[in-house]
Amino acid sequence: MTDQIAEPEVGRSRARKEDARLLTGQTNWTDNIQVAGLLYLAILRSPMAHARIDRIDVSPALERPGVVAAFSGADLADGLGSLPCAWPVTEDIVLPDHPPVAVDEARYAGDPVAVVVARDRYAAADALEAIEVEYTPLPPVLDLEVALTDGAPLVHSDKGTNRCYVWPLQTGEAFDAVRDRAEVTLKRRYHQQRLIPNAMEPRAVVVTPLAASGEFTVYSATQIPHILRVMLSVVTGVPEHKLRVVAPDVGGGFGSKLQVYGEEAIALDVARRLGRPVKWTESRSEGYLATHHGRGMIQDVEIAANRDGRLLGLKVDLLADMGAYLMLVTPGIPILGAFMYPAIYKMDAYEFTCTGVFTTRTPTDAYRGAGRPEATFAIERIMNDLAAELSLDPVELRRHNWIRHEEFPYEQIAGLTYDSGNYEAATDKALELFGYDKLRAEQADRNERGDTVRLGIGVSTYTEMCGLAPSRVLRDLRYAAGGWEAASIRMLPTGKVEVVTGTSPHGQGHETCWSQIAADVLGVPFEDVEVVHGDTKASPQGMDTYGSRSLVVGGTAVHRAATKVVDKARKVAAHLLEASEQDLEFTSGVFSVKGSPEARKTIQEIAFETFSSHDLPDGMEPTINAEHVVDPDNFSYPHGTHLCAVEVDTETGQTRIRSYVCVDDVGRVINPMIVEGQVHGGLAQGIAQALYEEAVYDEDGNLVSGTLADYLVPSAPDLPDFVTDRTETPASTNSLGVKGVGEAGTIASTPAVVNAIVDALRPLGVTDVRMPCTPERVWRAVKEAQA
């Protein structure tokens, strides 16, 4: 048996187990999968944002070399139902049908209208041009406010409205009452531009049928193999027990692969019709049209306060762009943010209303942070504006209103109970690392000299609800699924360990962290632990990966399952050592009798004894394997303070990030190196929204930023060096004390950067710059303020 180790794994910066195969090209991306007789799908997409399909003829495509089949939406309608929306947020929500392939009407540029199947992908793509389609153009619906006016063109004419839902929340005192007694009120409008996810790996799906038994294996670049299995069964009618879904190595997702896409359902149905395996892989430009978008909303925010800076109330009215259809969790994304607009602050009144609006654009859905970055942006922007109105330092205004560390657990105004936190400690550390006072002094000096290059300092504090889990809370929010997570531990006869998890990673490092957790509990070497995931046959139970839930819920399930293994092994060890369970100590994988350390058994020895079953306690099953399903009672609430210094050239509008410091509190840290990587990645995406990225449509509803040449994704040279650090207040809601980290950097960084830009330009009269803060927009803001 392998020697036991005493040094704890949790808290160590272990190199990721996953990286060896990634770096040496031994990955199994979905598009790498090759099987005998494989056919290839290509999809014809509408070139118009809104059009009636008057005639479609796919037969000319059948004459092209290599083409095996071609289908219109009508051809596929008998085998494909409507794509699912699992989050109907109100009882009277408008839920239009969402055919995977349009039949009568195309509702966004990129809406599928026909499918070609060929022996190679190039033949399939070439044959699309042979399909004959006659369209009658219909008016596009693009402006959220115009869409709600009487007489506006309708995205779904059978529904009679473009209003999808209205979701209200009102807590505490009436906002009108606190506004009446407030000494200061501010109103602001902020725009959250549409963002397009850019995972390194494009979406892909391969379906292999086993005709004799009616079984199908679906390989998909997905974050949600277990949810996908259920939903594909619903959409296609294939019995769930006949479906196996596998998420191989998945090259990033950021929410874009938290989805049940039409292409997955189409591939399954076509494989069923033809009895042949089929593959579809999107091109990068196709993905810009067909992969769901993120953000996309107008935020009208009003804040009420006293002259001393004490907050009294907050009112938020959102118009949220649903796009043309409701995808898996489209309506619920803005609602996740509803509970986060009050952020870390105390107040007496909170009022929130979200109106979902249909437009003739690509549907929106989850994108890294999913509702919480939007909420943090709004409250942190208006807090800075309030500080300027009151002539207060923005940090001091926050100190005056935040929840103090001794007040936890704290029920905030929106109804959530924050279990732990220390905003003071994170902020103090961030200010020290940043050199805040010195930078403020430099800023004052440069402003006094009238420098053309202005220095701005941005402050952003945040907390977020993550570990998306409590099933009863999700029920109350009308979310169709639960939030539990499952794990099992298998002790093999040779002393090695298999951890089976229901979470499905796409770059987060689950294999490494889950190994560390299990190794610590079981007292076995890190190298002896293997993690099994992403396959509904090997890991039949799970709710998958999104909302920074994997460690908080999935990791806790691993921890508790491993604890159950130790408890079972203790019974066998007590029997073999002829001692009572209470007299046994378990340290570093070894059971020993108190006072008689020579009487000992390792957990690996117990595993083999259980395998042989020669001498077990009477009535005990011959296994110490265990499983556990976790359904937490609460979310987890990481928090932190981010500070950004920028230099803005008032003559050109060019913005340069001079320094960036963040101090996050994500509870107990399993692997510091992985946490650091998650924070860095999140910062990159948050800064990208502030400065670079935007999905731009023309007046006809065509996406004009549909390639990497037009849609600006920052690379390493576009980003500054980050100074990151942590404070640690363990969560009290799970046995590991952990909080989520996957989205933290994105949530806090966008307002930090925009606050810095506005802070640099405020002496010139600029109070806002619409994102992304491109040089042109910054320059125009300066010129308009001067005018």
Side-chain angles (χ1 to χ4, degrees):
M1 296 297 176
T2 308
D3 291 338
Q4 306 304 299
I5 56 173
E7 184 181 355
E9 282 292 337
V10 169
R12 294 178 66 182
S13 288
R14 279 281 193 180
R16 300 196 330 161
K17 285 187 172 183
E18 301 89 332
D19 287 347
R21 69 173 185 272
L22 294 172
L23 294 172
T24 57
Q26 299 178 67
T27 49
N28 189 32
W29 311 117
T30 301
D31 190 50
N32 290 352
I33 295 171
Q34 299 292 329
V35 293
L38 186 63
L39 300 175
Y40 294 83
L41 294 179
I43 297 174
L44 183 67
R45 300 183 182 276
S46 170
M48 300 182 186
H50 199 194
R52 186 171 64 246
I53 302 172
D54 296 319
R55 185 182 76 89
I56 184 165
D57 184 1
V58 299
S59 59
L62 296 172
E63 300 173 6
R64 292 296 183 98
V67 172
V68 174
F71 304 96
S72 67
D75 295 331
L76 296 172
D78 62 333
L80 291 173
S82 179
L83 292 173
C85 174
W87 204 339
V89 295
T90 63
E91 189 173 347
D92 60 350
I93 189 172
V94 175
L95 283 169
D97 286 340
H98 184 183
V101 181
V103 177
D104 301 315
E105 200 168 301
R107 292 184 169 88
Y108 65 96
D111 205 356
V113 297
V115 178
V116 168
V117 189
R119 293 186 178 88
D120 70 70
R121 66 180 61 189
Y122 305 106
D126 289 345
L128 293 178
E129 65 184 19
I131 296 175
E132 298 173 1
V133 188
E134 294 178 4
Y135 297 100
T136 296
L138 298 172
V141 180
L142 301 171
D143 185 285
L144 297 181
E145 292 177 301
V146 172
L148 297 177
T149 60
D150 292 338
L154 298 176
V155 181
H156 300 276
S157 57
D158 60 318
K159 300 301 180 184
T161 181
N162 289 321
R163 182 178 284 103
C164 176
Y165 66 86
V166 178
W167 192 94
L169 176 66
Q170 192 276 320
T171 61
E173 298 181 45
F175 181 79
D176 289 347
V178 302
R179 179 203 285 131
D180 290 343
R181 71 171 189 265
E183 296 169 342
V184 178
T185 60
L186 293 180
K187 290 184 179 180
R188 294 291 186 267
R189 168 168 281 200
Y190 304 117
H191 292 263
Q192 292 283 329
Q193 77 271 36
R194 273 177 168 250
L195 301 178
I196 302 176
N198 277 271
M200 187 172 290
E201 178 202 19
R203 291 189 295 117
V205 59
V206 174
V207 180
T208 61
L210 186 60
S213 61
E215 295 177 286
F216 299 87
T217 298
V218 179
Y219 300 91
S220 181
T222 182
Q223 299 174 217
I224 53 167
H226 297 89
I227 295 173
L228 180 59
R229 182 190 188 205
V230 174
M231 293 304 186
L232 283 180
S233 177
V234 171
V235 174
T236 65
V238 176
E240 186 182 349
H241 67 286
K242 298 289 188 180
L243 279 175
R244 174 189 178 191
V245 175
V246 181
D249 292 313
V250 178
F254 316 117
S256 71
K257 293 170 184 173
L258 165 57
Q259 194 54 265
V260 177
Y261 282 105
E263 293 88 355
E264 292 162 320
I266 293 165
L268 177 54
D269 187 51
V270 169
R272 175 173 56 182
R273 290 171 185 269
L274 302 180
R276 296 271 298 276
V278 298
K279 177 191 287 189
W280 172 82
T281 302
E282 70 179 1
S283 66
R284 183 63 70 180
S285 57
E286 187 179 23
Y288 276 78
L289 292 171
T291 296
H292 74 239
H293 293 179
R295 314 287 193 254
M297 64 175 63
I298 299 171
Q299 303 169 306
D300 288 308
V301 186
E302 184 175 1
I303 198 165
N306 286 334
R307 277 283 166 198
D308 64 0
R310 179 180 177 270
L311 296 186
L312 298 177
L314 182 69
K315 182 179 180 182
V316 179
D317 287 299
L318 298 187
L319 291 179
D321 188 350
M322 304 286 98
Y325 298 101
L326 302 183
M327 300 195 75
L328 190 64
V329 291
T330 300
I333 297 304
I335 306 308
L336 280 175
F339 303 96
M340 289 286 96
Y341 282 86
I344 66 173
Y345 306 116
K346 296 179 285 188
M347 59 190 72
D348 301 327
Y350 175 52
E351 186 175 315
F352 172 92
T353 305
C354 178
T355 302
V357 184
F358 289 113
T359 63
T360 53
R361 286 187 282 231
T362 301
T364 59
D365 210 298
Y367 181 69
R368 197 170 189 168
R372 288 100 76 205
E374 299 94 307
T376 300
F377 181 87
I379 184 63
E380 291 302 290
R381 283 287 295 111
I382 204 166
M383 283 292 285
N384 261 39
D385 285 351
L386 180 61
E389 177 72 17
L390 298 174
S391 299
L392 290 174
D393 183 276
V395 175
E396 291 311 307
L397 178 64
R398 287 162 171 82
R399 288 187 192 279
H400 196 51
N401 289 284
W402 66 33
I403 304 158
R404 298 187 304 275
H405 71 275
E406 65 268 17
E407 295 179 283
F408 289 96
Y410 186 90
E411 185 173 341
Q412 49 93 280
I413 188 71
L416 299 177
T417 299
Y418 296 166
D419 66 303
S420 68
N422 191 328
Y423 309 139
E424 303 98 306
T427 302
D428 288 345
K429 181 176 279 192
L431 292 171
E432 181 182 355
L433 291 169
F434 191 62
Y436 186 80
D437 292 340
K438 185 176 180 181
L439 282 168
R440 282 292 184 201
E442 180 187 343
Q443 179 188 46
D445 180 61
R446 290 169 69 160
N447 287 346
E448 187 176 347
R449 295 198 315 267
D451 280 4
T452 57
V453 178
R454 295 296 178 111
L455 177 64
I457 298 167
V459 179
S460 173
T461 55
Y462 81 98
T463 188
E464 61 152 326
M465 52 186 284
C466 61
L468 193 64
S471 294
R472 292 183 180 182
V473 174
L474 297 179
R475 172 204 63 194
D476 294 342
L477 292 174
R478 300 180 62 86
Y479 182 61
W484 51 267
E485 193 49 76
S488 60
I489 305 289
R490 299 196 289 244
M491 291 293 302
L492 305 181
T494 55
K496 309 302 181 184
V497 180
E498 288 180 334
V499 174
V500 181
T501 177
T503 63
S504 186
H506 45 284
Q508 293 89 341
H510 292 188
E511 292 178 31
T512 303
C513 290
W514 280 211
S515 295
Q516 290 178 274
I517 293 168
D520 260 10
V521 176
L522 300 173
V524 300
F526 169 81
E527 295 78 10
D528 286 358
V529 183
E530 187 77 15
V531 178
V532 178
H533 60 79
D535 183 339
T536 61
K537 189 171 184 179
S539 172
Q541 279 190 294
M543 291 301 294
D544 305 317
T545 294
Y546 42 88
S548 298
R549 72 186 300 274
S550 288
L551 177 58
V552 176
V553 193
T556 299
V558 171
H559 182 258
R560 293 188 182 179
T563 301
K564 285 183 175 180
V565 169
V566 174
D567 291 342
K568 285 185 173 183
R570 184 183 301 276
K571 296 182 184 297
V572 180
H575 175 75
L576 295 174
L577 295 171
E578 298 181 345
S580 69
E581 293 180 43
Q582 292 73 24
D583 288 337
L584 289 187
E585 294 178 331
F586 182 68
T587 305
S588 299
V590 178
F591 291 98
S592 60
V593 180
K594 296 176 184 177
S596 303
E598 70 282 355
R600 63 197 303 273
K601 288 283 184 182
T602 67
I603 197 166
Q604 289 101 328
E605 290 171 326
I606 299 298
F608 188 83
E609 293 282 357
T610 309
F611 168 71
S612 68
S613 307
H614 292 168
D615 188 11
L616 295 181
D618 291 341
M620 183 175 182
E621 293 180 318
T623 179
I624 57 172
N625 297 343
E627 62 182 33
H628 193 88
V629 180
V630 170
D631 196 348
D633 297 324
N634 196 0
F635 302 99
S636 73
Y637 300 98
H639 67 83
T641 297
H642 289 221
L643 301 170
C644 178
V646 301
E647 291 183 329
V648 182
D649 189 323
T650 58
E651 294 182 338
T652 66
Q654 184 67 40
T655 297
R656 181 181 74 88
I657 296 179
R658 176 167 141 179
S659 63
Y660 195 102
V661 169
C662 64
V663 176
D664 297 293
D665 192 321
V666 297
R668 189 184 184 196
V669 171
I670 304 299
N671 187 314
M673 184 170 63
I674 287 178
V675 167
E676 192 86 351
Q678 288 278 25
V679 170
H680 278 216
L683 293 176
Q685 286 185 282
I687 291 170
Q689 179 175 6
L691 295 180
Y692 301 111
E693 296 188 22
E694 182 177 22
V696 180
Y697 287 81
D698 66 16
E699 62 185 10
D700 296 320
N702 299 306
L703 181 67
V704 297
S705 57
T707 72
L708 282 168
D710 310 297
Y711 186 91
L712 303 182
V713 179
S715 60
D718 301 308
L719 298 168
D721 290 333
F722 303 124
V723 176
T724 63
D725 208 334
R726 295 184 303 277
T727 56
E728 187 171 312
T729 52
S732 63
T733 55
N734 61 75
S735 59
L736 286 169
V738 295
K739 304 175 183 180
V741 68
E743 295 160 303
T746 303
I747 288 168
S749 54
T750 307
V753 174
V754 178
N755 276 342
I757 294 170
V758 174
D759 183 66
L761 303 178
R762 199 180 292 276
L764 304 178
V766 175
T767 59
D768 190 30
V769 180
R770 186 168 169 174
M771 295 187 294
C773 301
T774 61
E776 180 185 357
R777 284 182 174 168
V778 171
W779 180 84
R780 289 188 182 279
V782 171
K783 295 304 177 185
E784 289 169 7
Q786 290 174 340

